Amino acid sequence: MDQKVMILTGAGQIGMAIARRMGYGMKIIVGDKKQENAQTVAKTMNDAGFDVVPVEMDLSDRASIRRMIAEAQKYGAITMLVNAAGVSPSQAPIEAILKVDLYGTAVLLEEMGRVIAPGGVGVTISSQSGHRMKQLTPEEDEQLACTPAEELLALPLLQPENIRDTLHAYQLAKRCNEKRVMAESVKWGAKGARINSISPGIIVTPLAIDEFNGPRGEFYKNMFAKCPAGRPGTADEVANAAELLMSHKGDFITGADFLIDGGATASYFYGP
């Protein structure tokens, strides 16, 4: 029997929260660079009554993405994508951030756009960081949105001499994610499918805890202490928004980015 299939990339708390919200009754393929992470999420969800298959998947490698998609297609039509894979500024050097978060996401959206079923829907997890950076020129935005994925890393904007540090690389990657989602939504729309991005702020996950204990830890703690919400968020709060975007209630929403940060970005620009 052909099943409806969800692909979840990145075996983390946010991706799992969204998959638990949207993936009941579906076959869920969870891909992560570390097979054991995928297996852990698969076990947690299978023990809760879901139907999850773990696979090893490297977001920075097109062939690896294609293998994951081929595995998913064995079970039926791919109707949902949840892309929560990526590395953070404290976890990886500039080159890896650009290769995974920027190039890898572009490739995934491109490859998924070819196979997503009519009526299908995707969300990709971006970050508030993309909203923090100074505005790029319209030409730079268009380059990030439309340059063929294989040529992205050759853009002048993304050369090492133009990137200050890992945080700047991450901001550029997340800005690219947003613009890429806009451009891809036009292509997905031709198939009757939708794609959006969510830009979470500080959400308590193992990745965020790495950041709290990293070189910018005090900055992050100060950020959520002073933001209007006065606290970090939870993965389930991101899943609340994903549920709107991925359900029929969100049928008119595509090519959009949703900032979920407790007001931290508003506070960064216009607050204390």
Side-chain angles (χ1 to χ4, degrees), residues 119-136:
V121 62
V123 294
T124 189
I125 303 301
S126 184
S127 165
Q128 64 176 1
S129 281
H131 293 260
R132 293 284 168 87
M133 194 171 63
K134 72 175 178 64
Q135 290 301 308
L136 300 174

Side-chain angles (χ1 to χ4, degrees), residues 1 12 29 41 66 91 109 121 123 129 150 174 205 210 268:
M1 183 186 78
I29 306 298
V41 162
R66 284 179 170 164
Q91 292 175 322
L109 295 180
V121 62
V123 294
S129 281
E150 294 309 319
K174 296 306 178 179
T205 64
D210 277 355
Y268 175 82

Side-chain angles (χ1 to χ4, degrees), residues 186-239:
V186 181
K187 299 173 190 170
W188 284 45
K191 303 187 76 165
R194 301 184 295 111
I195 177 77
N196 292 291
S197 60
I198 295 176
S199 289
I202 306 288
I203 307 295
V204 179
T205 64
L207 185 148
I209 291 165
D210 277 355
E211 290 293 326
F212 294 154
N213 296 324
R216 283 178 294 277
E218 287 311 307
F219 170 77
Y220 287 118
K221 289 172 189 167
N222 188 47
M223 183 196 299
F224 70 69
K226 288 189 174 170
C227 79
R231 62 171 176 84
T234 65
D236 289 271
E237 289 176 300
V238 179

